[in-house]
Amino acid sequence: MNILIGCDPEVFVKKDGKFLSAFGLIKGDKKNPTPVNLGAVQVDGMALEFNTNPAASEEEFLINVTSVLNTLKLMVPTYEVVAVPVADFDPEYIKGQPAEALELGCDPDFNGWDGVANNKPDCERPFRTASGHVHIGWIDQPEKDLPFGPAAAVARQMDFFLGLGSLFYDGDTRRREMYGKAGAFRPKPYGAEYRTLSNMWLNDNKLIQWVFRNAKAGMTRLINGDELALKHGDIQEIINSSNKDAAMKIMKEENIEVPNV
């Protein structure tokens, strides 16, 4: 089975140290992203988003992510592009944005632990969040029906291999008030989109490489019958409460690589 890894992170823009809306800064949106070398870019609400071509190797994944992110930065040369989980805006500034910039959660995502759709986020809050979604492909010939059950199993496995480890480089908790609770996923024709991570892993090449390695390792073990949720049960509370001690215990027991930060 050929495992491919891609991503579609979101980033914010700043000018003179202040967060500003990215709406309208570049061409491309959710329905019609702008193709660039090794991926595509687009506006996503008040943030910018980029996506990368699927990668079969750690080196390819790193090249894809850094290349497309650098291309995006060059497209907004008068702004600072920052990868942080939460950006605070003045409430009046948010109210002045066009309706398209304020829409959140256009398509539902789901909880891999119970299969239920997650609640749509509250767009009235005076902050916005940015994610670092990881796309995992294992289906060579996509079928009409999305692989909901297998994708949910992948999301649970990624909670062990990515979600637990993210607690050691991402100390933010506010983002989970809107997005990114444990097990968040969407089924895709090629596999699954794991939506728990923020964009913080973009800030270090070692973390970018760690994301690929651990996603690949988790998938390999799942395919070989080593489904960690069957051993350890539901670990949502560990991730959602940022319980590092419990996370480290499981990662050591299962020999899961902890991010080196």
Side-chain angles (χ1 to χ4, degrees):
M1 182 180 293
N2 190 29
I3 300 170
L4 298 175
I5 312 293
C7 63
D8 66 334
E10 300 143 358
V11 291
F12 294 110
V13 296
K14 273 185 168 183
K15 182 172 283 190
D16 299 326
K18 182 179 180 180
F19 286 112
L20 296 175
S21 173
F23 186 79
L25 289 186
I26 64 172
K27 294 181 180 179
D29 55 32
K30 287 284 189 182
K31 294 182 179 180
N32 297 289
T34 298
V36 299
N37 185 39
L38 303 179
V41 299
Q42 64 197 57
V43 170
D44 182 10
M46 295 174 67
L48 297 176
E49 180 177 324
F50 68 94
N51 55 66
T52 64
N53 293 348
S57 71
E58 180 181 324
E59 179 182 12
E60 184 182 15
F61 185 71
L62 176 62
I63 291 171
N64 289 354
V65 172
T66 54
S67 175
V68 181
L69 177 55
N70 287 334
T71 297
L72 180 60
K73 290 178 179 179
L74 291 174
M75 297 173 75
V76 288
T78 61
Y79 293 85
E80 178 188 4
V81 175
V82 292
V84 293
V86 175
D88 291 292
F89 296 92
D90 184 274
E92 293 303 315
Y93 181 76
I94 291 181
K95 289 181 181 178
Q97 295 297 305
E100 304 97 307
L102 299 179
E103 185 176 0
L104 298 175
C106 50
D107 296 317
D109 62 10
F110 301 88
N111 183 329
W113 293 93
D114 59 20
V116 175
N118 290 316
N119 293 329
K120 189 172 182 178
D122 180 5
C123 64
E124 298 298 322
R125 297 194 181 190
F127 64 87
R128 289 296 182 266
T129 65
S131 303
H133 304 152
V134 179
H135 292 248
I136 302 170
W138 67 88
I139 301 173
D140 295 330
Q141 295 182 334
E143 298 180 0
K144 183 178 180 180
D145 294 329
L146 297 180
F148 191 93
V154 168
R156 295 190 296 269
Q157 188 84 339
M158 289 305 109
D159 270 355
F160 287 92
F161 283 82
L162 295 176
L164 293 178
S166 71
L167 303 181
F168 297 95
Y169 65 80
D170 183 1
D172 173 75
T173 57
R174 280 203 299 161
R175 175 177 162 269
R176 289 197 200 98
E177 296 175 18
M178 295 178 71
Y179 280 112
K181 286 185 170 61
F185 81 102
R186 283 180 184 152
K188 295 290 182 179
Y190 47 79
E193 176 188 10
Y194 180 62
R195 295 170 56 84
T196 295
L197 300 186
S198 81
N199 58 11
M200 282 293 288
W201 56 269
L202 294 176
N203 292 306
D204 190 321
N205 284 357
K206 291 181 180 179
L207 288 176
I208 296 173
Q209 293 169 303
W210 172 83
V211 165
F212 181 92
R213 284 196 305 272
N214 273 33
K216 185 74 174 286
M219 279 299 297
T220 300
R221 287 174 63 170
L222 182 62
I223 291 166
N224 290 331
D226 190 9
E227 186 174 351
L228 297 192
L230 299 180
K231 297 181 184 179
H232 298 276
D234 191 333
I235 62 166
Q236 290 183 83
E237 182 62 23
I238 295 174
I239 295 172
N240 292 340
S241 65
S242 297
N243 188 336
K244 293 182 182 179
D245 290 338
M248 181 63 77
K249 181 180 179 181
I250 292 176
M251 295 183 79
K252 285 184 175 180
E253 181 179 338
E254 293 295 342
N255 196 28
I256 298 172
E257 181 185 350
V258 180
N260 183 16
V261 293

